[in-house]
Amino acid sequence: MYQKVFKRTIDFIISFIGFILLVPILLLVTILLAIANQGNPFFFQIRPGLNEKLFKIIKFKTMNDKVDEKGNLLSDDKRITGIGKFIRKTSLDELPQLINVLKGDMSLIGPRPLLPEYLPLYNSEQKKRHNVKPGITGWAQVNGRNAISWKQKLALDVWYVEHLSFFIDIKIIIKTVQKVLQSDSINASTKTTMNRFKGNN
């Protein structure tokens, strides 16, 4: 009942109120990133959602588009901007996804939406992560985020799908606030972003 009826209603109400209250911060971050990224403050990318249906996710853009002499993008560590580091550390880059939640593509709580090219790499158990809508935060994010292995992260995603409840979601929200305030487990080791998933079937 909670998953099929109340979760979507709660998602919409909280996201709508949150978006309205956060408009000043969203506008400020948009202006700062527009300056840092030469007029492009947002990052759009196709991600798989519920039942692997593709949608376009929106985030604040924390890295520029600088390339090497061959035209290849530089490493993430070399492209992340100064303001981008702060925005990522405070998880402000995730805030535009409130729009995805309002549209119904995402939930506030759920497995993080990953890249479409990972879909063929999941085993049958890991595929269960797409039995629910992806979220802005989730069980894996409050239990290690980028500091744990892909195998652990996907196992935590599946655990959430199999134990989804109102009380679990409340626990995740509380732990998310704690993690954000502590800037905990943002990066994997010393890297800016986590290594790409290569399958572990």
Side-chain angles (χ1 to χ4, degrees):
M1 178 67 74
Y2 167 67
Q3 179 181 350
K4 295 182 177 180
V5 180
F6 297 114
K7 187 172 172 68
R8 171 57 186 160
T9 302
I10 293 173
D11 279 342
F12 186 86
I13 293 173
I14 294 179
S15 296
F16 182 78
I17 295 174
F19 188 85
I20 297 300
L21 294 177
L22 292 170
V23 163
I25 294 177
L26 291 168
L27 287 176
L28 176 61
V29 174
T30 298
I31 293 171
L32 292 175
L33 287 178
I35 296 172
N37 297 325
Q38 299 178 336
N40 189 3
F42 297 106
F43 171 78
F44 297 91
Q45 192 173 54
I46 299 298
R47 299 289 176 92
L50 177 64
N51 298 321
E52 302 183 2
K53 181 180 179 181
L54 300 180
F55 70 97
K56 186 177 291 185
I57 195 173
I58 176 173
K59 299 176 68 174
F60 277 127
K61 188 175 182 180
T62 57
M63 292 185 285
N64 57 43
D65 298 316
K66 291 183 178 180
V67 297
D68 59 23
E69 61 277 5
K70 296 181 180 179
N72 300 314
L73 283 174
L74 296 176
S75 64
D76 292 348
D77 290 337
K78 293 181 179 179
R79 291 190 297 118
I80 190 167
T81 61
I83 184 64
K85 287 182 179 180
F86 172 77
I87 290 172
R88 182 169 292 189
K89 183 178 181 181
T90 54
S91 295
L92 290 174
D93 58 318
E94 310 287 357
L95 290 183
Q97 290 167 66
L98 289 173
I99 296 174
N100 289 119
V101 177
L102 290 171
K103 290 173 59 181
D105 296 325
M106 295 177 62
S107 174
L108 290 172
I109 312 295
R112 287 293 298 153
L114 302 176
L115 298 174
E117 51 260 44
Y118 294 170
L119 291 175
L121 303 178
Y122 300 138
N123 60 35
S124 58
E125 184 71 9
Q126 293 165 347
K127 282 181 176 293
K128 292 180 181 178
R129 71 188 309 279
H130 292 290
N131 289 347
V132 299
K133 288 182 180 180
I136 295 179
T137 185
W139 190 237
Q141 279 59 54
V142 298
N143 284 284
R145 198 172 176 178
N146 290 341
I148 58 177
S149 70
W150 275 110
K151 184 176 181 180
Q152 292 172 306
K153 180 182 292 189
L154 296 175
L156 289 169
D157 286 342
V158 173
W159 185 93
Y160 172 79
V161 172
E162 295 177 340
H163 296 82
L164 194 160
S165 71
F166 175 75
F167 297 104
I168 291 294
D169 278 359
I170 292 297
K171 184 176 182 178
I172 292 173
I173 291 175
I174 293 173
K175 294 188 71 172
T176 295
V177 173
Q178 294 173 341
K179 291 281 185 180
V180 170
L181 292 177
Q182 297 168 0
S183 298
D184 190 23
S185 303
I186 300 299
N187 299 327
S189 184
T190 59
K191 293 179 179 291
T192 301
T193 55
M194 191 167 182
N195 292 328
R196 295 176 70 85
F197 178 61
K198 298 180 179 178
N200 51 17
N201 299 349

